[in-house]
Amino acid sequence: MSVKIRLQRHGKKGKPFFHIVVADARASRDGKFIEKIGTYNPVTNPAVIDLNVDAAVKWLNNGAQPTDTARAILSYKGVLYKKHLLGGVAKGAFDQATADEKFATWLAGKEQQVLGKKDGLSKAKDEAKKAALEAEAKVNQGRLDAAAKIEADAKAEADAKLAEEKAAEDAKIAEAKAAEEAANAPAEEAVEEKTAVETVAETLGGAAAVVAGAIDTVKETVANVTEKLAGSDEATEEGADEAKA
Protein backbone atom coordinates (compact mmCIF):
# COMPACT_ATOMS: atom_id res chain seq x y z
CA MET A 1 0.00 0.00 0.00
CA SER A 2 1.33 3.41 -1.02
CA VAL A 3 1.26 5.92 1.85
CA LYS A 4 1.40 9.70 1.53
CA ILE A 5 1.96 12.56 3.94
CA ARG A 6 -0.38 15.31 2.82
CA LEU A 7 -2.65 18.17 3.89
CA GLN A 8 -6.32 17.72 4.71
CA ARG A 9 -8.31 20.96 4.35
CA HIS A 10 -10.54 22.32 7.11
CA GLY A 11 -11.64 25.77 8.14
CA LYS A 12 -14.05 28.33 6.65
CA LYS A 13 -14.09 29.80 3.18
CA GLY A 14 -11.27 32.30 2.88
CA LYS A 15 -9.74 31.07 6.16
CA PRO A 16 -8.22 27.66 5.46
CA PHE A 17 -6.83 25.43 8.17
CA PHE A 18 -5.04 22.18 7.35
CA HIS A 19 -4.37 18.91 9.16
CA ILE A 20 -1.09 17.16 8.31
CA VAL A 21 -2.03 13.52 7.93
CA VAL A 22 -0.62 10.18 6.85
CA ALA A 23 -3.13 8.55 4.51
CA ASP A 24 -3.53 5.90 1.85
CA ALA A 25 -2.63 7.40 -1.54
CA ARG A 26 -5.92 6.00 -2.92
CA ALA A 27 -8.07 7.82 -0.36
CA SER A 28 -9.67 11.16 -1.18
CA ARG A 29 -7.98 14.33 0.01
CA ASP A 30 -10.40 14.97 2.85
CA GLY A 31 -11.31 11.32 3.41
CA LYS A 32 -9.99 8.68 5.80
CA PHE A 33 -6.42 8.94 7.08
CA ILE A 34 -4.10 6.65 9.02
CA GLU A 35 -2.61 9.18 11.48
CA LYS A 36 -2.74 12.92 12.10
CA ILE A 37 0.79 14.19 12.80
CA GLY A 38 0.26 17.98 12.87
CA THR A 39 -1.59 21.14 11.82
CA TYR A 40 -0.82 24.02 9.49
CA ASN A 41 -2.41 27.50 9.65
CA PRO A 42 -1.38 29.62 6.64
CA VAL A 43 -3.63 32.57 7.56
CA THR A 44 -1.20 33.98 10.12
CA ASN A 45 2.12 35.57 9.21
CA PRO A 46 4.40 33.76 9.75
CA ALA A 47 2.37 30.59 9.34
CA VAL A 48 1.81 28.50 12.45
CA ILE A 49 2.93 24.87 12.14
CA ASP A 50 2.45 22.31 14.90
CA LEU A 51 4.17 19.04 13.91
CA ASN A 52 5.17 15.78 15.61
CA VAL A 53 8.72 15.60 14.21
CA ASP A 54 9.49 12.08 15.48
CA ALA A 55 6.28 10.65 13.99
CA ALA A 56 7.00 12.34 10.66
CA VAL A 57 10.55 10.92 10.64
CA LYS A 58 9.18 7.43 11.45
CA TRP A 59 6.75 7.56 8.54
CA LEU A 60 9.42 8.83 6.16
CA ASN A 61 11.69 5.94 7.21
CA ASN A 62 8.77 3.57 6.59
CA GLY A 63 8.50 4.79 2.97
CA ALA A 64 5.75 7.43 3.18
CA GLN A 65 5.98 10.00 0.35
CA PRO A 66 5.13 13.64 1.17
CA THR A 67 3.38 15.89 -1.32
CA ASP A 68 5.25 19.04 -2.45
CA THR A 69 3.54 21.26 0.12
CA ALA A 70 3.97 18.67 2.87
CA ARG A 71 7.67 18.26 1.98
CA ALA A 72 8.18 22.04 2.29
CA ILE A 73 6.53 21.99 5.71
CA LEU A 74 8.60 18.98 6.85
CA SER A 75 11.79 20.68 5.69
CA TYR A 76 10.80 23.91 7.46
CA LYS A 77 10.30 22.05 10.74
CA GLY A 78 13.58 20.09 10.43
CA VAL A 79 12.07 16.66 9.78
CA LEU A 80 14.25 16.01 6.74
CA TYR A 81 17.37 17.22 8.60
CA LYS A 82 16.65 14.93 11.56
CA LYS A 83 16.11 11.99 9.19
CA HIS A 84 19.52 12.79 7.70
CA LEU A 85 21.13 12.88 11.15
CA LEU A 86 19.55 9.55 12.09
CA GLY A 87 20.95 8.10 8.88
CA GLY A 88 24.44 9.23 10.00
CA VAL A 89 23.92 7.57 13.37
CA ALA A 90 22.86 4.35 11.64
CA LYS A 91 26.01 4.48 9.50
CA GLY A 92 28.19 5.10 12.56
CA ALA A 93 29.36 8.58 11.48
CA PHE A 94 28.48 9.95 14.95
CA ASP A 95 26.49 8.90 17.97
CA GLN A 96 22.94 9.74 18.98
CA ALA A 97 24.05 12.45 21.46
CA THR A 98 25.93 14.28 18.72
CA ALA A 99 22.92 14.00 16.43
CA ASP A 100 20.64 15.39 19.13
CA GLU A 101 23.06 18.27 19.80
CA LYS A 102 23.27 19.17 16.13
CA PHE A 103 19.49 19.07 15.81
CA ALA A 104 19.08 21.25 18.92
CA THR A 105 21.54 23.77 17.46
CA TRP A 106 19.59 23.78 14.19
CA LEU A 107 16.30 24.29 16.06
CA ALA A 108 17.79 27.25 17.97
CA GLY A 109 18.96 28.83 14.73
CA LYS A 110 15.57 28.23 13.14
CA GLU A 111 13.86 29.78 16.15
CA GLN A 112 16.04 32.87 15.80
CA GLN A 113 15.09 33.11 12.15
CA VAL A 114 11.41 32.89 13.04
CA LEU A 115 11.81 35.54 15.74
CA GLY A 116 13.75 37.77 13.33
CA LYS A 117 10.97 37.40 10.78
CA LYS A 118 8.36 38.25 13.41
CA ASP A 119 10.36 41.30 14.46
CA GLY A 120 10.78 42.32 10.84
CA LEU A 121 7.08 41.93 10.20
CA SER A 122 6.24 43.90 13.34
CA LYS A 123 8.69 46.63 12.35
CA ALA A 124 7.31 46.70 8.81
CA LYS A 125 3.80 46.92 10.23
CA ASP A 126 4.78 49.82 12.48
CA GLU A 127 6.52 51.58 9.60
CA ALA A 128 3.49 51.05 7.37
CA LYS A 129 1.24 52.44 10.11
CA LYS A 130 3.57 55.41 10.57
CA ALA A 131 3.68 56.01 6.82
CA ALA A 132 -0.12 55.82 6.69
CA LEU A 133 -0.40 58.33 9.54
CA GLU A 134 2.09 60.66 7.83
CA ALA A 135 0.20 60.35 4.55
CA GLU A 136 -3.07 61.06 6.34
CA ALA A 137 -1.51 64.05 8.12
CA LYS A 138 -0.17 65.28 4.78
CA VAL A 139 -3.61 64.95 3.20
CA ASN A 140 -5.22 66.75 6.14
CA GLN A 141 -2.60 69.51 5.95
CA GLY A 142 -3.25 69.80 2.23
CA ARG A 143 -6.96 70.18 2.92
CA LEU A 144 -6.25 72.81 5.59
CA ASP A 145 -3.93 74.68 3.22
CA ALA A 146 -6.57 74.57 0.48
CA ALA A 147 -9.23 75.85 2.88
CA ALA A 148 -6.89 78.60 4.10
CA LYS A 149 -6.12 79.59 0.48
CA ILE A 150 -9.82 79.74 -0.36
CA GLU A 151 -10.45 81.85 2.73
CA ALA A 152 -7.50 84.14 1.91
CA ASP A 153 -8.70 84.52 -1.70
CA ALA A 154 -12.22 85.35 -0.51
CA LYS A 155 -10.84 87.91 1.96
CA ALA A 156 -8.63 89.45 -0.71
CA GLU A 157 -11.59 89.66 -3.08
CA ALA A 158 -13.74 91.26 -0.37
CA ASP A 159 -10.97 93.74 0.48
CA ALA A 160 -10.55 94.60 -3.19
CA LYS A 161 -14.30 95.13 -3.53
CA LEU A 162 -14.35 97.37 -0.44
CA ALA A 163 -11.38 99.34 -1.77
CA GLU A 164 -13.13 99.75 -5.12
CA GLU A 165 -16.34 100.92 -3.44
CA LYS A 166 -14.39 103.36 -1.25
CA ALA A 167 -12.54 104.71 -4.28
CA ALA A 168 -15.85 105.19 -6.10
CA GLU A 169 -17.33 106.93 -3.05
CA ASP A 170 -14.27 109.18 -2.73
CA ALA A 171 -14.54 110.00 -6.43
CA LYS A 172 -18.21 110.95 -6.00
CA ILE A 173 -17.38 113.14 -2.98
CA ALA A 174 -14.56 114.83 -4.88
CA GLU A 175 -16.84 115.38 -7.90
CA ALA A 176 -19.58 116.88 -5.70
CA LYS A 177 -17.05 119.14 -3.97
CA ALA A 178 -15.67 120.27 -7.30
CA ALA A 179 -19.20 120.99 -8.57
CA GLU A 180 -19.97 122.97 -5.39
CA GLU A 181 -16.76 124.98 -5.75
CA ALA A 182 -17.58 125.62 -9.41
CA ALA A 183 -21.08 126.82 -8.47
CA ASN A 184 -19.75 129.15 -5.77
CA ALA A 185 -16.89 130.61 -7.85
CA PRO A 186 -18.96 133.28 -9.94
CA ALA A 187 -20.70 134.62 -6.85
CA GLU A 188 -17.38 135.16 -5.14
CA GLU A 189 -16.00 136.89 -8.26
CA ALA A 190 -19.11 139.11 -8.42
CA VAL A 191 -18.66 139.96 -4.76
CA GLU A 192 -15.03 140.73 -5.44
CA GLU A 193 -15.98 142.91 -8.48
CA LYS A 194 -18.65 144.67 -6.47
CA THR A 195 -16.22 145.34 -3.72
CA ALA A 196 -13.75 146.80 -6.21
CA VAL A 197 -16.45 149.05 -7.74
CA GLU A 198 -17.54 150.19 -4.33
CA THR A 199 -13.94 150.91 -3.45
CA VAL A 200 -13.48 153.00 -6.60
CA ALA A 201 -16.77 154.76 -5.99
CA GLU A 202 -15.82 155.49 -2.44
CA THR A 203 -12.45 156.79 -3.62
CA LEU A 204 -14.07 159.01 -6.26
CA GLY A 205 -16.63 160.19 -3.76
CA GLY A 206 -13.92 161.16 -1.34
CA ALA A 207 -12.05 163.03 -4.07
CA ALA A 208 -15.23 164.82 -5.15
CA ALA A 209 -15.92 165.79 -1.56
CA VAL A 210 -12.38 167.17 -1.27
CA VAL A 211 -12.79 169.10 -4.54
CA ALA A 212 -16.17 170.40 -3.42
CA GLY A 213 -14.67 171.48 -0.13
CA ALA A 214 -11.86 173.24 -1.97
CA ILE A 215 -14.37 174.98 -4.23
CA ASP A 216 -16.40 176.10 -1.24
CA THR A 217 -13.24 177.39 0.39
CA VAL A 218 -12.30 179.26 -2.77
CA LYS A 219 -15.79 180.67 -3.04
CA GLU A 220 -15.67 181.76 0.58
CA THR A 221 -12.27 183.34 0.05
CA VAL A 222 -13.45 185.17 -3.05
CA ALA A 223 -16.50 186.41 -1.18
CA ASN A 224 -14.39 187.70 1.66
CA VAL A 225 -12.07 189.44 -0.73
CA THR A 226 -15.03 190.97 -2.54
CA GLU A 227 -16.51 192.17 0.68
CA LYS A 228 -13.23 193.72 1.69
CA LEU A 229 -12.85 195.43 -1.65
CA ALA A 230 -16.35 196.72 -1.44
CA GLY A 231 -15.74 198.10 2.01
CA SER A 232 -12.61 199.80 0.88
CA ASP A 233 -14.42 201.50 -2.00
CA GLU A 234 -17.11 202.78 0.30
CA ALA A 235 -14.50 204.18 2.67
CA THR A 236 -12.78 205.93 -0.20
CA GLU A 237 -16.00 207.44 -1.39
CA GLU A 238 -16.84 208.67 2.06
CA GLY A 239 -13.41 210.22 2.35
CA ALA A 240 -13.86 211.93 -0.96
CA ASP A 241 -17.26 213.27 0.06
CA GLU A 242 -15.87 214.58 3.27
CA ALA A 243 -13.06 216.31 1.40
CA LYS A 244 -15.49 218.02 -0.95
CA ALA A 245 -17.51 219.29 1.92
Side-chain angles (χ1 to χ4, degrees):
M1 179 180 68
S2 178
V3 177
K4 283 186 172 293
I5 300 175
R6 63 189 181 191
L7 301 182
Q8 191 178 73
R9 194 184 193 285
H10 295 270
K12 298 179 181 179
K13 182 177 181 181
K15 293 182 178 181
F17 184 83
F18 297 93
H19 291 176
I20 304 172
V21 298
V22 179
D24 187 345
R26 296 169 295 180
S28 62
R29 185 197 67 178
D30 299 332
K32 292 182 179 181
F33 58 88
I34 301 171
E35 182 182 357
K36 175 184 172 182
I37 60 175
T39 58
Y40 168 55
N41 183 7
V43 176
T44 60
N45 191 10
V48 177
I49 302 173
D50 182 15
L51 182 66
N52 186 339
V53 176
D54 292 334
V57 171
K58 182 191 72 172
W59 281 106
L60 287 177
N61 288 331
N62 290 335
Q65 296 296 319
T67 61
D68 293 339
T69 304
R71 179 179 291 276
I73 292 173
L74 296 179
S75 176
Y76 181 81
K77 295 299 290 185
V79 173
L80 300 182
Y81 181 63
K82 190 169 185 178
K83 179 177 180 295
H84 171 72
L85 291 176
L86 292 177
V89 172
K91 293 178 181 178
F94 43 80
D95 57 8
Q96 185 65 42
T98 303
D100 293 340
E101 183 180 354
K102 288 184 178 182
F103 187 69
T105 302
W106 184 90
L107 285 178
K110 191 66 174 180
E111 185 67 21
Q112 289 297 324
Q113 290 180 1
V114 173
L115 291 177
K117 183 177 181 180
K118 288 182 179 180
D119 292 340
L121 291 173
S122 179
K123 185 177 180 180
K125 184 178 180 180
D126 292 340
E127 290 178 353
K129 185 177 180 180
K130 183 179 178 181
L133 291 175
E134 290 178 354
E136 184 178 359
K138 187 176 181 181
V139 171
N140 292 335
Q141 186 62 39
R143 291 175 180 173
L144 291 176
D145 293 341
K149 185 176 184 303
I150 292 173
E151 184 178 357
D153 293 342
K155 187 176 183 301
E157 185 178 356
D159 292 342
K161 188 175 181 180
L162 289 175
E164 184 179 355
E165 291 177 355
K166 187 176 183 302
E169 185 177 357
D170 292 343
K172 289 182 180 179
I173 293 173
E175 184 179 356
K177 186 176 181 181
E180 183 178 357
E181 290 178 354
N184 294 332
E188 293 177 356
E189 291 178 359
V191 171
E192 291 178 357
E193 290 179 358
K194 182 178 179 182
T195 303
V197 171
E198 289 178 354
T199 302
V200 173
E202 290 176 358
T203 303
L204 292 176
V210 172
V211 172
I215 292 172
D216 291 340
T217 302
V218 171
K219 286 181 179 181
E220 184 178 356
T221 302
V222 171
N224 292 333
V225 172
T226 302
E227 289 178 358
K228 288 181 180 181
L229 290 175
S232 177
D233 290 340
E234 288 178 356
T236 303
E237 289 178 356
E238 290 178 357
D241 291 337
E242 290 176 0
K244 287 180 180 182

